[in-house]
Amino acid sequence: MKRKICFPITSRAYYGRSQLLIRKLHAHPGVDLKLMLGGSILLDKYSRHIADDIAAGGFDIEASLFNVIEGGNHVAMAKTACLTALEFTNSLFTASPDVVVICGDRFEQLAIAMAAAYLNISIAHIEGGDVTGSIDESVRHAITKLAHLHFVTNADAHRRVLAMGEDPQYVFHAGSLDVELAAHVRTTITSEQVNALGVGHDIDVERPYLMVVQHPVTTEADNRAHLETTLKVVSSFDLPTIWFWPNPDAGTGEMADMLRHMRERHPELTAHMRFITNVPAADFVALLAHASCLVGNSSAGIKECSYLGTPVVNIGNRQQGRLAGPHVTHSSYDAEDLGAAIATQLAHGRYPASDLYHRPNTSDVIAETLASSRLYTQKRFYE
Amino acid sequence: MKRKICFPITSRAYYGRSQLLIRKLHAHPGVDLKLMLGGSILLDKYSRHIADDIAAGGFDIEASLFNVIEGGNHVAMAKTACLTALEFTNSLFTASPDVVVICGDRFEQLAIAMAAAYLNISIAHIEGGDVTGSIDESVRHAITKLAHLHFVTNADAHRRVLAMGEDPQYVFHAGSLDVELAAHVRTTITSEQVNALGVGHDIDVERPYLMVVQHPVTTEADNRAHLETTLKVVSSFDLPTIWFWPNPDAGTGEMADMLRHMRERHPELTAHMRFITNVPAADFVALLAHASCLVGNSSAGIKECSYLGTPVVNIGNRQQGRLAGPHVTHSSYDAEDLGAAIATQLAHGRYPASDLYHRPNTSDVIAETLASSRLYTQKRFYE
Amino acid sequence: MKRKICFPITSRAYYGRSQLLIRKLHAHPGVDLKLMLGGSILLDKYSRHIADDIAAGGFDIEASLFNVIEGGNHVAMAKTACLTALEFTNSLFTASPDVVVICGDRFEQLAIAMAAAYLNISIAHIEGGDVTGSIDESVRHAITKLAHLHFVTNADAHRRVLAMGEDPQYVFHAGSLDVELAAHVRTTITSEQVNALGVGHDIDVERPYLMVVQHPVTTEADNRAHLETTLKVVSSFDLPTIWFWPNPDAGTGEMADMLRHMRERHPELTAHMRFITNVPAADFVALLAHASCLVGNSSAGIKECSYLGTPVVNIGNRQQGRLAGPHVTHSSYDAEDLGAAIATQLAHGRYPASDLYHRPNTSDVIAETLASSRLYTQKRFYE
Amino acid sequence: MKRKICFPITSRAYYGRSQLLIRKLHAHPGVDLKLMLGGSILLDKYSRHIADDIAAGGFDIEASLFNVIEGGNHVAMAKTACLTALEFTNSLFTASPDVVVICGDRFEQLAIAMAAAYLNISIAHIEGGDVTGSIDESVRHAITKLAHLHFVTNADAHRRVLAMGEDPQYVFHAGSLDVELAAHVRTTITSEQVNALGVGHDIDVERPYLMVVQHPVTTEADNRAHLETTLKVVSSFDLPTIWFWPNPDAGTGEMADMLRHMRERHPELTAHMRFITNVPAADFVALLAHASCLVGNSSAGIKECSYLGTPVVNIGNRQQGRLAGPHVTHSSYDAEDLGAAIATQLAHGRYPASDLYHRPNTSDVIAETLASSRLYTQKRFYE
C-alpha cells in the first residue's frame, strides 16, 4: 500500500520553496500525496492565482480551509493559528495519513504540528535547527520537539537538532529546498513581466536595481517606524527599486498602511519604486539573481543569495543568529547605519557562490526518505 | 506596579499539585494573580466542587472556559486543545499579563503556551525536562522550547533543559510541587471519609489496601485491554482496593466503559473495590502514604511515593524513562508479569524516604522567582 | 446530473425518525445522498453503535465531526452549536450540495441551517410550524425563516408556516416521519432484548409497565428537582418501569447526577426500574406500543402515542402548545398533580388510534419532493 | 439593581446609526450598558478610528473580539459568523446581561442572537419586519423569531412581525434610528474635510456631485460585473463622484479588486472620482443631503434619503421589496437602464421630505423600553 503523505501549504513562500519536493512526491510510485491548503495561500491579496495553479497541477487537494483572521496583530495571529489547528485536525483525522510534512517556522505550522501530534501521526519537519529572531525562533524548535523526521539545511542546524535530544538516525542533512530551487530554475525575467505585476513605476531589469523584502518582526513593536526608515534610506539612493509587500504576520497592517500612505501622500519618496505583492518562485529567484543588492530581513537574503552571490543588507533581528555567508552585511534599524551598509554593498558588487546551504538533490533525498523511512510515533529523548 | 501573573488551571491534578504555589502567589505583595479555569476542572464528573472551592478561596478568576470536546479519543483531544488555545487567546489578550504559568505536560497546556507565545507574553514552565512515554513526552519538550523561565524538579531534567538550548540563568532546580505538598500535608484520612466518596465496597483504611491509578496512554491503542488485565490481576489478590477513575485523555471512554461493564456484569471481580473519581490533593497523599502498594501508571508513583516510601508497581510505557527510585518496580502489560510485581512489592513493604524529587521550599522559590525575575520575550538558542 | 442532498444527523432521535426517509433518498436514482454526522450521534454514551450501524448501511458519510462540548449547561450548549456551525460550514462548502435537510428543532440544527444559508444552499426543513416550550420553540421558527422547502406534520403547523410569510407552493403537509415509522415497524420486543440493555432491574414486557422519558427543559432552572419529583411519584406506583436517560441538552448533567445518586443511595426508590440510554427506533416504538402509560415530556408522547393509542402523562412546559390528542393528560411538576394524572391514565387504559400526525407515505412524499422540486435561494416574504 | 444591557457592535454602519441610542442608554440611570466590539468595527481598513472613538466615549467595553475571517466569499462569511457566535457566547456568558440588543440584519447579528438565545438572555431586535433581497432577508426574519422585544421602523414591518406570531405588546413602532440621526445632525461638511479622506480626485462639495454606495449582494454571483457596469455608467456622466468602498460581505474581494484595477489601469474612467472607505455617520448624512443623486443599493437610499429628499437610483435586488418613497427610482443591472435612471433623477432634482421611516424620539422610545419593559425568555407563538 502506498504511503499517504499530507502536505499542508499555508503561504506562497512555502509553496514556492517546496515545489520541487511536491512534484517529486506526486510522481513517486510509493506515495499518495495529499495537499492541504490554508492560511494566506487561499487569499487573493497575498497569493493571487497560486491556489489555482496548484489545483491545475493535477495534485490531490484534500482540503481548502479559510482560516486567516483579520487584524494583522498578535491576537489575530494567535487566533489564526488556533483556528488553523482546529480545522486541520478534522482534515488530518479524515485523511489519516502516515506522515504530515511541516515546513519551516511559520506560526500556523506549529499549530498544525500540534494537531498532528495529538492525532498520533508521524511528523516530518523541514528546516529545523536554524536560529533566528522573531517568534519563528521559538516556533521552529517547538516543532522539532514534536517531529519524528528532521531535514536540516546546514551543519549548524544539524548540531542543534541533535543537542535537543533527537535521534541521529532520523536527522538528515539534506540542504535547503530554496537554494536547490535557486540553483535549478532558469534565472531570467523581462522588464515587461515585472511591470505587469503590482503597482508603481516601471522597472528596467537590464539596469541596476535594488530589491526590498522587509517582513514584520512579531516580537517587536516598531515595525512601522522601522519600515519607514528603510523606505526613506532606500529612496535616497535614487535607484529603481522592486519592493515586495510584507507577509501577513502580526504587524503587517501598520506596515502596509505606511506604504499606502507614502504612495498617496509622498509620491516623491516612491518615485523609483514598484510595489509587488508576489511573484512565482522562479521569477523571484531571477529578480534576486540580478539585483544589485537585497535589502530587508527575508531568509532569502541569507539562503538563496548565498548561492546566487547577491549582496545583501540584512536589517534588524528577524534573522538574528542564522548562519550567514560573507555576502551578508548586517545593519541596525538606524538610518545612518542602514545607508552605510547599502552603500558598502553597492560598492562591493556580487560575491562568489557558496554551498553553505546547498546540497545537490535536496528534494530527491527528502522525497525518498519520506517514502521509505521507518515511521514511529512514540518519541524518546536521545542522550 | 504589581507583576500580573496568569495561571491557567485545566485539570484537578494540576490544581492539587499547585495549591501551595497558588496561595503564595495570591499572598505575594508584588503579584497580581489571575486564575484562568478551563478543561476538565470545570466539569462535574471529573472535578466536582473543585472549581467551586477555587472560587471560594478568594482568588481572582479571570475566565472560566468550557472547552472539553466529548469523544475521549484522539480527535476530540486534539480539538479540545485547539479550542482551548482559541479561547485562552482572547482571555490572555484581555488580561495582558506579564507572565503566564504553564504546568507540566498535559496536551492543553502546550496549546495555551502556544497562544501565549504568539501574544508575546513571557512563559514560565514548571516540570520541564523529564522524560516519559505517551504524547506527554513530546508536549513537555515543545513547551520548554516556547518557555522563558524553567522550574525543573530533578537533576536529570535540569541537564536536559540546558541541552535543549535554554539559557542557564533562567533554569531553576526547584524540586517537585507534588512532593513538597506530600511532605507538607498531614497524612491522615478516615475510612468514613473514603467511603463517602465514589461507589463500590467500603474500605477500612486501618487495614492493608491497594491503590490503582491507571490513565490512558494516548500513543497506544490497547488501553481497554490493558486496564482489564490490571483489574483481573488486582482482583486476584483479594485485597481491599481503592481504584481511581482514569483521567479524560484520549482512550478514557473505552477504559471507563470497561470498568462500568465489569461492575455491572462481573461484580465478583470488583467485590473488594471502591471506585473514586477524585479526592482533594491532601487526601490523595494520605491514601498514598498508607497504601500497601500503588499500581498503575501515575506520575504520583514515581514522584510522591519516592518521598513517602510507598511501594509502586509502574505499568507500561506512560512513565517510560522518568527518573525513578528503588521503590518502583516496572511491569509490562502482561498479567503474569504484573501479578509477580505486585506480589514482590507486597512482600517487600515500605521503602525509606528519598529526596530524588524533593527540595525544601519549592513553592517559595517558584513564587519569588515569578515575582521578581527579569522577564524577556525574544528567545535565543544558548550554546 | 443527480441532485446532491446533504443530510446532517446530530442525535439518535433524528436518525431513528429519519431512517425511512434516508433509505428512500439513498435508493432514489435521481439523488446523491451524503450523510454528515455530528453531535451526540458520534458519542458512545448516547448512541452506542448507531454511527457504526449507519456506516454499515452503505451510505456515503461525507463527514464525522466531533463537536459536543462538555458541560451539560447553557454555555456548553451554545458553544456546541457554534462549533457545529463552524465545522459544518467547511463540510458543506466542500460537499457543495443542492439541498441540505434540517430536521426539527434541536439547537445544533439551527446552527447548521445558518451555515447553509450563508453558503447559499437551499434548505429543506422537516417538522416546522409546531409550537412547544423550551428553546426549541424559538429554534424551530427561526429555521423556518431560513428554509426554502417546508414539510409540516399537521394542519396547525401548516397554517403557522404560511402565516410567517412562507410561499404556499413550497409548504408540504406530509405528516410525521415518527408516526409513519410507528405505523410501519413490527411492534414486538422480548423481555430478553430489553434486559440486555442498560442497567437496573429486569423487566417482564408481557406484564404492565410504565415508561419514563423526561428531557431537560433548557429555558428552566429546576430540571433536577423536577426529575426527582417524577422519580419519587413513579416509584410510588410499584410498577416495573423502563426509564430512558435524558438527552444531552443543557441541564442533562444535573439530571443524570440525580439519577446516579438515587441508584447508589436510595436503591429502594429504583427497585423496579431499568435505566436505558437508548434503543433502536423500532424497539422504542415496540416499547411505547405496550406501555401502560408514558410519563415525561418527550414529543413521542404527543406524536407516536397518538397513533399507537398509548396513554400519556405529559409533564411541564416542554411540549407546551403542541397539538395533542385525547390520549394526553397534562400535568404540572407538582407531585400530587403528577400522581393523580398517572393514576387516571392507568385507570383509563389504551385509546383509539388517531391520524392527527399521520399521513400515509410521508417519507415517499418528502423524498420525491426533495429530488424534484424546483430549488431557489433568494427568499421573499409571501403576503 | 440596574438593568444590564449588552450592545454588540460589529460594523461601522451599526455604530453610526446607533449612536444616539447608545448615548441615551449610557446616560440612563437605570441601565448598566456594556458595549461588545467585534467584526469589522475593529479593523483599520473598514473602520479606522471608530473603535478608538468608542473607547474614548467613556463607555464600558466588555469585549473586543477579532473574528473576521479573510476571504470575502461565502465560506469566509459563514465562518466569520460561527466564530463570532462562539466568542460572543463566552463574553455574554461572563457578562450575564438582562438584555442583548441585536440591530438589523447583518449575518453576524443572527449568530450573536443565536448565542444569546441559547444562553436564555432576552433579545431586543431593532429594524425587524422589513423585506429586502440578499441573505439579509432570511437573517432579519430569523432574528425576529429568536427575539423578545421588537422595534420596527415602519407600518409594513409592524404588520409582518405580528403576522410571524410575535406578541403585539412587545412590538414597538419606534421609527428608524438612521432617519432620526439624519433629522438630528447638522448637515454640513466642507470640501477640505472630504478631500482629507480616502484617495482619488478632489471634490468640491459646493457643486453638484454624485454618490455611489454599492455593496455585495451575497445571494448573487456577478457582483464584480455589476459594479463594473455602475462604474462605467457613472463615469459617463462626467460629474464629480464620491464613491464609498463596498462593505465586507461575501463578494467584497472581487468588487474591491475591480475598483483597484480600474484606478490603476483605466484612470480615465475614475478621473472625477474620490474613493472613501468610511466617514463618521454625521458626515455621511451631510454628504447624502447635498448629493445630486445617490446611486447603488444602500438602505440609506431608501431610508435616510426619504427624509432628506435626495434622489436615489436603487440598483438590483439588494433592497428588493423594501418600502420606498417616490424619491427612489429602481434600476436593473443593465447599463442602459441604469444610465436612463440616473439621467431622470438628475433632471428631476430634490424631492419633498417624507415621514415614511421617521418618528420623533426614536432613540428615547427604544432606550426607555429597554430600560423598563418586562422581560421574559420562553417565547410563545401568538395567534
Side-chain angles (χ1 to χ4, degrees), chain A residues 74 79 81-82 85 90 107 117-118 120 134 137 141 145 159-160 163 218-219 320 378-381 383, chain B residues 74 79 81-82 85 90 107 117-118 120 134-135 137 141 145 159-160 163 218-219 320 378 380-381 383:
Chain A
H74 286 96
K79 288 164 74 170
C82 301
N90 280 328
F107 63 98
Y118 294 172
N120 259 359
S134 201
E137 169 70 9
H141 303 315
K145 292 309 300 173
R159 185 186 72 241
R160 286 187 211 102
T218 58
T219 43
Q320 136 197 312
Q378 177 63 59
K379 292 193 68 176
R380 291 166 195 253
F381 198 97
E383 53 182 346
Chain B
H74 286 98
K79 287 164 75 170
C82 301
N90 280 328
F107 63 96
Y118 294 172
N120 259 358
S134 203
I135 186 66
E137 169 70 9
H141 303 316
K145 292 308 301 172
R159 185 186 72 242
R160 285 186 211 103
T218 58
T219 42
Q320 137 198 310
Q378 177 63 59
R380 289 167 198 253
F381 199 97
E383 54 180 347

Side-chain angles (χ1 to χ4, degrees), chain C residues 133-191:
Chain C
S134 202
I135 187 66
D136 305 354
E137 169 69 10
S138 300
V139 165
R140 189 183 314 108
H141 302 316
I143 294 173
T144 292
K145 293 309 301 173
L146 297 175
H148 303 82
L149 301 174
H150 308 269
F151 300 99
V152 300
T153 67
N154 61 84
D156 280 17
H158 198 171
R159 186 186 69 241
R160 285 187 212 102
V161 169
L162 296 181
M164 284 189 277
E166 296 305 299
D167 185 342
Q169 67 176 304
Y170 293 110
V171 186
F172 307 91
H173 181 173
S176 160
L177 285 168
D178 313 64
V179 175
E180 185 193 30
L181 187 74
H184 177 272
V185 297
R186 294 182 44 102
T187 51
T188 57
I189 187 168
T190 64
S191 298

Side-chain angles (χ1 to χ4, degrees), chain D residues 306-320:
Chain D
S306 75
Y307 184 84
L308 298 170
T310 303
V312 170
V313 174
N314 178 63
I315 305 174
N317 303 316
R318 193 163 177 266
Q319 301 298 334
Q320 137 197 312

